């Protein structure tokens, strides 16, 4: 499925993704998700459409362990987050919720580019730039979690952790 | 070839010898969440179709971020957590007890444990020689319901801090200096292991400050040997039986070793809005400060308050600055009351908040307005963390906090020592 690129920089923290001041909305995810990335991109909630991509630089998702950060991205219909690198807790949270966190060279992606992700093929086609980028394959355990539809679904299926 | 601390602890919990890079399923000794991550954790347990808590006596729900609750929505979350704890026989640490990481360090964490917390600063427990790491709510849900977690055994960066710390330089300055060197992602997916004579002589409070901020360099865990300092801490906490000595093998394999020479360290500041925007105090210039915040899981211990009190004693707060002190736990609060530290701080002009996270995360008890500047002892300074996205957070040691409250601008504590 094709989608539009929303371009962000380095060091986008979980505080940027969903600010601490909305702590009180954490049990109200539909409301919380309206505040996605609002300091970085005011009105992002209104702008983003299902199937779009967040594309960022280094260390995406650093900071707090709030899984709500990955969840609000997913709830806003983002297909995947592409970044040069991810902070580790966000990386886990993202896969746990069935949101692919893709490590690749994002340098040449531009705001508004139309791109297409093939998870099986390990590649992203940038239709705007006429370019294909290969991404670092997922670690096998992440692949397994993703294929099961997230960690909740995995545990539901096996009634256990069956990842190794 | 020998094992690092991380490899040792994870081998023991995976029932086989494991090395950096392997994926393990490890038994969990202690698991906890806080009021911002706990409700989602419970919902995840329910979504998984699981009902029971694997080890109720070793499962804690902390009410520390919004404590006491400033909004009814959060009060409802608190009730939800209390009900679940009651239903499952697991433990609630209620409003006023203190910050999760401080309370578990006092009461629960043992050297050699695997500790999982749904809070990024769970790594504070590394100060006691525990493999303590932060996760999200789903991973915490698995740890609570199944008593285990999957982990990638991390490579280790060994950090040797040599020599004697100069006057006015503390654990906070060591870790800020390190983060300045390696950057906020410098240890991503890795373990940090701290050693050297400066570390050996650092008390548990300083070790906890360093371990707490390991995650600010991206690390999974910040580990310390379990030694005499650890033993004394456990004796002080009235649980000497929890002590066991723990150190890496002499021929352990490290990804790299970094050496920090203590005598070169100075009071160090992280500038807005990134924790790796590091300057030494001499490079700061004239930064007027509206609010000084002393506390948090990073520097909310008795020793931190004593350092500040020593500098402030007999002085008055700068008229254009306010100072908030928030003890990390009820125990810290009581000790600071009994030994007169709290009196010194209040006489100076500070105000005390109940034990908990307080102003750290912008919820209550010192929310910053547009254009306001705060010097805080907390571990993070992201844009908007303490309130307005137009405010500015500088991070420094309790000594810098005290000197700053006297002068109303970011100040060098060494002239008061
Ligand atoms: S004091 Fe601050 S950093 Fe520590 S646990 Fe609380 S909110 Fe997190």
């Amino acid at each position: 499925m094709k989608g539009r690129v929303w371009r962000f920089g380095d060091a986008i923290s979980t505080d940027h993704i969903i600010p601490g001041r909305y702590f009180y909305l954490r049990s109200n995810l539909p409301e919380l998700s309206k505040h996605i990335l609002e300091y970085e991109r005011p009105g992002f909630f209104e702008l983003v459409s299902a199937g779009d991509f967040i594309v960022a630089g280094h260390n995406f998702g650093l900071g707090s362990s709030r899984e709500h950060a990955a969840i609000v991205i997913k709830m806003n219909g983002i297909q995947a987050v592409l970044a040069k690198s991810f902070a580790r807790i966000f990386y886990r949270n993202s896969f746990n919720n069935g949101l692919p966190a893709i490590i690749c060279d994002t340098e040449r992606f531009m705001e508004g580019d139309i791109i297409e992700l093939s998870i099986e093929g390990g590649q992203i086609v940038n239709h705007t730039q006429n370019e294909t980028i290969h991404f670092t394959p997922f670690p096998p355990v992440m692949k397994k979690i993703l294929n099961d539809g997230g960690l909740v679904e995995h545990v539901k299926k096996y009634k256990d952790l069956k990842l190794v | 070839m020998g094992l690092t601390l991380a490899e040792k602890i994870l081998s023991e919990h995976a029932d086989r010898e494991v090395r950096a890079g392997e994926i393990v399923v490890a038994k969990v000794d202690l698991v906890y969440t806080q009021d911002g991550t706990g409700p989602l954790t419970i919902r995840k347990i329910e979504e998984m179709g699981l009902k029971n808590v694997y080890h109720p006596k070793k499962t804690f729900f902390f009410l520390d971020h919004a404590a006491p609750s400033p909004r009814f929505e959060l009060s409802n979350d608190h009730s939800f957590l209390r009900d679940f704890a009651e239903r499952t026989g697991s433990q609630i640490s209620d409003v006023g007890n203190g910050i999760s990481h401080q309370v578990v360090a006092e009461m629960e964490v043992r050297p050699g444990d695997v500790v999982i917390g749904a809070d990024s600063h769970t790594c504070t427990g590394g100060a006691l020689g525990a493999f303590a790491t932060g996760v999200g709510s789903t991973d915490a849900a698995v740890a609570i319901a199944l008593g285990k977690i999957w982990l990638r055994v991390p490579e280790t960066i060994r950090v040797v801090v040599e020599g004697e710390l100069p006057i006015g330089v503390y654990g906070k300055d060591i870790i800020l200096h390190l983060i300045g060197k390696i950057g906020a992602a410098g240890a991503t997916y890795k373990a940090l292991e701290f050693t050297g004579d400066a570390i050996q002589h650092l008390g548990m409070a300083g070790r906890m400050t360093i371990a707490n901020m390991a995650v600010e360099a991206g690390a999974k865990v910040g580990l310390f040997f379990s030694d005499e300092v650890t033993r004394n801490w456990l004796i002080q906490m009235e649980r000497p039986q929890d002590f066991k000595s723990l150190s890496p093998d002499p021929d352990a394999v490290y990804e790299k070793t970094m050496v920090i020479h203590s005598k070169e360290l100075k009071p160090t500041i992280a500038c807005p809005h990134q924790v790796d925007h590091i300057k030494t105090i001499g490079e700061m210039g004239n930064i007027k400060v509206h609010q000084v915040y002393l506390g948090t899981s990073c520097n909310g211990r008795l020793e931190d308050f004593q350092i500040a009190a020593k500098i402030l004693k007999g002085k008055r707060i700068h008229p254009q600055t306010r100072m908030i002190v928030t003890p990390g736990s009820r125990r810290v609060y009581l000790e600071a009351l009994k030994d007169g530290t709290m009196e010194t701080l209040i006489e100076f002009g500070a105000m005390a908040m109940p034990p908990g996270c307080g102003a750290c995360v912008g919820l209550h008890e010192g929310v910053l307005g547009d254009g306001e500047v705060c010097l805080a002892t907390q571990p993070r300074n992201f844009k908007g963390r303490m309130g307005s996205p137009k405010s500015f957070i500088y991070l420094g040691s309790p000594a810098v906090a005290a000197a700053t409250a006297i002068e109303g601008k970011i100040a060098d504590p060494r002239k008061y020592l």
Side-chain angles (χ1 to χ4, degrees):
Chain A
M1 193 166 79
K2 288 183 196 169
R4 180 194 195 282
V5 166
W6 296 94
R7 196 75 178 80
F8 293 86
D10 290 335
I12 299 294
S13 73
T14 53
D15 272 75
H16 292 109
I17 299 166
I18 197 70
R21 63 189 277 221
Y22 300 117
F23 204 98
Y24 69 98
L25 290 175
R26 288 190 188 179
S27 286
N28 184 354
L29 292 172
E31 270 310 305
L32 187 70
S33 70
K34 293 183 183 167
H35 299 285
I36 180 172
L37 285 160
E38 70 178 19
Y39 292 167
E40 281 303 298
R41 190 72 60 95
F44 189 59
F45 166 74
E46 301 283 349
L47 298 168
V48 70
S49 328
D52 287 355
F53 293 86
I54 286 175
V55 179
H58 278 297
N59 209 12
F60 188 87
L62 77 156
S64 98
S65 68
R66 66 189 75 149
E67 192 164 318
H68 312 75
I71 292 174
V72 299
I73 292 175
K74 175 103 179 164
M75 281 180 78
N76 276 285
I78 297 290
Q79 253 191 81
V81 181
L82 279 50
K84 289 182 189 166
S85 62
F86 290 90
R88 61 164 281 275
I89 303 178
F90 180 86
Y91 191 71
R92 284 181 80 117
N93 287 345
S94 187
F95 283 88
N96 282 348
N97 285 283
L99 174 71
I102 294 175
I103 301 170
C104 63
D105 180 6
T106 55
E107 200 59 41
R108 288 189 303 281
F109 288 88
M110 298 296 189
E111 174 85 10
D113 282 359
I114 300 300
I115 64 173
E116 193 169 355
L117 168 69
S118 160
I119 295 213
E120 300 73 40
Q123 64 176 36
I124 302 144
V125 179
N126 187 330
H127 291 286
T128 311
Q129 315 264 358
N130 265 326
E131 185 177 18
T132 298
I133 286 194
H134 295 271
F135 59 82
T136 316
F138 299 137
V141 9
M142 291 313 190
K143 210 166 167 179
K144 193 144 191 220
I145 294 172
L146 203 59
N147 287 344
D148 282 341
L151 197 65
V152 166
E153 295 304 317
H154 173 89
V155 173
K156 254 170 124 170
K157 186 162 147 194
Y158 295 99
K159 301 268 171 272
D160 198 1
L161 261 193
K162 284 278 174 240
L163 291 163
V164 284
Chain B
M1 255 177 322
L3 303 174
T4 62
L5 275 176
E7 289 167 334
K8 260 194 183 174
I9 299 170
L10 292 180
S11 294
E12 199 158 292
H13 287 76
D15 293 324
R16 66 188 169 94
E17 193 175 296
V18 298
R19 301 278 173 170
E22 286 183 54
I23 304 288
V24 298
V25 173
K27 287 179 294 210
V28 173
D29 296 300
L30 173 70
V31 53
Y32 59 93
T33 75
Q34 32 93 337
D35 40 356
T37 57
L40 183 60
T41 304
I42 293 174
R43 291 188 184 107
K44 293 286 184 181
I45 295 173
E46 287 166 351
E47 277 176 42
M48 285 171 192
L50 301 171
K51 290 204 173 54
N52 294 330
V53 166
Y54 187 80
H55 202 339
K57 289 215 156 48
K58 288 287 198 174
T59 300
F60 284 76
F61 294 91
F62 283 91
L63 310 186
D64 57 0
H65 280 58
S69 166
R71 299 189 63 124
F72 77 86
E73 294 91 341
L74 293 163
S75 309
N76 291 344
D77 281 345
H78 285 181
S79 303
F80 183 60
L81 293 168
R82 290 188 190 102
D83 289 349
F84 182 82
E86 196 177 339
R87 200 161 71 236
T88 57
S90 41
Q91 314 303 306
I92 196 98
S93 176
D94 219 306
V95 164
N97 271 354
I99 307 166
S100 62
H101 315 304
Q102 178 64 23
V103 176
V104 294
E106 291 169 0
M107 295 174 54
E108 293 292 330
V109 177
R110 299 169 303 191
D113 273 356
V114 168
V115 178
I116 298 301
D119 187 281
S120 58
H121 293 103
T122 303
C123 50
T124 311
L128 282 126
F131 191 99
T133 194
V135 297
S137 291
T138 302
D139 283 316
V142 170
I144 289 172
L146 301 174
K148 52 181 147 180
I149 185 155
W150 77 266
L151 292 168
R152 181 179 173 282
V153 183
E155 290 81 14
T156 296
I157 300 174
R158 183 164 166 259
V159 182
V160 186
V161 191
E162 280 182 344
E164 202 180 324
L165 287 180
I167 303 276
V169 173
Y170 306 90
K172 183 69 154 229
D173 303 299
I174 297 175
I175 189 67
L176 288 176
H177 173 83
L178 177 70
I179 292 169
K181 278 207 141 152
I182 66 176
T188 299
Y189 307 124
K190 308 215 160 62
L192 293 169
E193 198 179 281
F194 294 92
T195 181
D197 40 354
I199 298 293
Q200 265 163 36
H201 294 118
L202 204 60
M204 190 51 75
R207 291 183 183 188
M208 283 167 73
T209 300
I210 293 175
N212 172 276
M213 288 192 74
V215 67
E216 306 311 327
K220 191 174 217 161
V221 60
L223 279 160
F224 289 72
F225 297 21
S226 176
D227 58 11
E228 282 312 298
V229 170
T230 324
R231 187 202 295 274
N232 288 334
W233 166 266
L234 290 169
I235 291 171
Q236 218 185 314
M237 294 301 126
E238 295 155 58
R239 48 190 188 102
Q241 71 284 359
D242 286 347
F243 177 73
K244 80 170 178 195
S245 134
L246 194 67
S247 48
D249 292 331
D251 56 345
V253 182
Y254 294 97
E255 185 179 276
K256 66 175 171 192
T257 293
M258 295 183 61
V259 180
I260 296 175
H261 300 285
S262 291
K263 63 174 192 303
E264 287 162 21
L265 295 178
K266 298 185 175 70
T268 301
I269 309 288
C271 302
H273 297 289
Q274 273 171 244
V275 72
D276 55 2
H277 284 178
I278 296 293
K279 287 186 183 166
T280 57
I281 193 83
E283 299 166 332
M284 288 307 298
N286 190 1
I287 311 265
K288 187 173 158 15
V289 169
H290 306 93
Q291 176 167 304
V292 171
Y293 180 41
L294 174 60
T296 79
S297 57
C298 196
N299 283 105
R301 286 170 267 283
L302 180 65
E303 291 82 343
D304 298 315
F305 293 177
Q306 287 169 334
I307 289 164
K310 197 173 154 199
I311 291 170
L312 301 173
K313 196 166 175 65
K315 301 198 168 56
R316 279 297 301 165
I317 191 166
H318 188 274
Q320 271 133 33
T321 301
R322 54 191 185 266
M323 181 177 192
I324 299 169
V325 293
T326 305
S329 70
R330 186 185 302 276
R331 183 180 187 112
V332 169
Y333 200 0
L334 275 170
E335 286 172 345
L337 284 172
K338 282 183 193 153
D339 79 354
T341 300
M342 198 49 94
E343 191 178 340
T344 304
L345 294 170
I346 305 296
E347 246 167 18
F348 166 76
M351 54 197 137
M353 295 293 153
C357 299
C360 181
V361 72
L363 269 175
H364 60 172
E365 297 171 4
V367 177
L368 300 178
D370 293 350
E372 286 200 309
V373 176
C374 182
L375 184 290
T377 60
Q378 67 200 39
R380 287 205 171 125
N381 63 348
F382 299 130
K383 194 207 265 186
R385 180 168 175 92
M386 297 181 81
S388 164
K390 295 187 192 125
S391 60
F392 301 89
I393 308 167
Y394 293 82
L395 308 177
S397 72
V400 171
T404 299
I406 295 170
E407 297 188 22
K409 59 183 172 73
I410 295 181
D412 191 335
R414 291 173 297 186
K415 58 176 168 275
Y416 299 100
L417 288 164

